[in-house]
Amino acid sequence: DLDSTDDPTHGTQQLALFHGWYDQHMYHPLVWFEGRTGLLLRTRLRPGRDPSAACVVEELQQLLPPLRRRFPHTPIFLRGDAGMATPRVEAKLEAEGIRYVLGIGTNRVFKARVAGLVASAQARYDRTSRPVHVRTSFQHRAKSWPHARRILVKIDVTAQGRNLRFMVTNRRGRAADLIPWYDHRGTSENWLKELKLD
């Protein structure tokens, strides 16, 4: 499990820079956890303005050799937040044979592709007042990608409103199985809190 987090600063520390998303001066550490145990594998302190995916490829080059020496026959799977889904990161993961699911930002092209499904889910909820959960996928090729990639789609319509999320993956399998697997990366948020607060 791969994530970044905010580490607020309150002085003039070197490379403690203002990050607009978090609206504060901070460092922006990159953190890697083993997905089943929560074991901290690696962390990298980065300047406050670094984007989420900064240094991911460089960190992979450090992390993969010892993992593969220790577990030579074990496939490696990676889950990461939306900020990690960049063409450079995806290309590195694919070149290394790593199976991944990365959150990817919502955009007008993706929304247009699933507009009919969203409308149908909303109509079903309006008719029954029961939660509606749709899991599907489609192939998409962005201009910056060398080939088409699979986009997973999560549509939830409940009393709390509508939730539409997208993920990019090179994994096979049903969207209904892959999306819950990805959702379990939320546990890493708790590991981050433990790391920062405990």
Side-chain angles (χ1 to χ4, degrees):
D1 284 326
L2 170 61
D3 212 338
S4 62
T5 188
D6 62 313
D7 185 8
T9 57
H10 306 284
T12 57
Q13 296 98 322
Q14 187 176 17
L15 300 178
L17 303 171
F18 186 81
H19 195 293
W21 174 260
Y22 292 99
D23 195 29
Q24 64 187 358
H25 286 81
M26 56 181 263
Y27 293 120
H28 197 193
L30 187 64
V31 186
W32 303 78
F33 292 102
E34 194 285 316
R36 290 188 181 166
T37 63
L39 176 71
L40 178 65
L41 296 176
R42 191 171 175 89
T43 185
R44 180 176 185 142
L45 186 64
R46 303 178 301 174
R49 253 188 228 141
D50 272 12
S52 292
C55 305
V56 169
V57 169
E58 293 76 10
E59 289 292 296
L60 277 167
Q61 290 168 341
Q62 298 295 316
L63 229 136
L64 289 176
L67 283 176
R68 287 189 165 141
R69 276 193 303 273
R70 178 66 180 88
F71 306 102
H73 305 295
T74 303
I76 299 174
F77 296 86
L78 180 74
R79 297 181 283 213
D81 205 358
M84 307 304 168
T86 68
R88 185 169 182 246
V89 170
E90 293 154 357
K92 177 66 173 174
L93 294 171
E94 290 164 3
E96 294 289 347
I98 295 173
R99 297 295 176 195
Y100 64 84
V101 178
L102 304 173
I104 192 168
T106 301
N107 61 51
R108 60 181 174 79
V109 175
F110 291 175
K111 284 182 178 179
R113 289 285 298 263
V114 299
L117 287 173
V118 172
S120 174
Q122 184 67 56
R124 190 165 30 151
Y125 176 79
D126 293 343
R127 191 173 58 253
T128 65
S129 296
R130 299 177 75 178
V132 178
H133 307 286
V134 178
R135 306 294 184 258
T136 190
S137 66
F138 60 84
Q139 292 292 316
H140 176 74
R141 182 171 181 185
K143 289 179 183 175
S144 59
W145 293 352
H147 55 82
R149 291 191 171 106
R150 184 180 181 195
I151 304 298
L152 300 172
V153 183
K154 175 181 178 178
I155 304 168
D156 293 318
V157 184
T158 67
Q160 286 74 42
R162 187 184 307 162
N163 181 30
L164 175 62
R165 299 287 305 270
F166 299 96
M167 291 130 268
V168 60
T169 188
N170 64 347
R171 288 193 63 184
R172 294 181 179 163
R174 298 180 330 132
D177 297 326
L178 295 177
I179 292 171
W181 179 80
Y182 173 81
D183 286 344
H184 283 302
R185 69 162 293 282
T187 306
S188 68
E189 298 290 338
N190 294 327
W191 298 331
L192 276 172
K193 287 175 189 170
E194 289 177 6
L195 182 67
K196 290 165 68 173
L197 303 176
D198 296 343

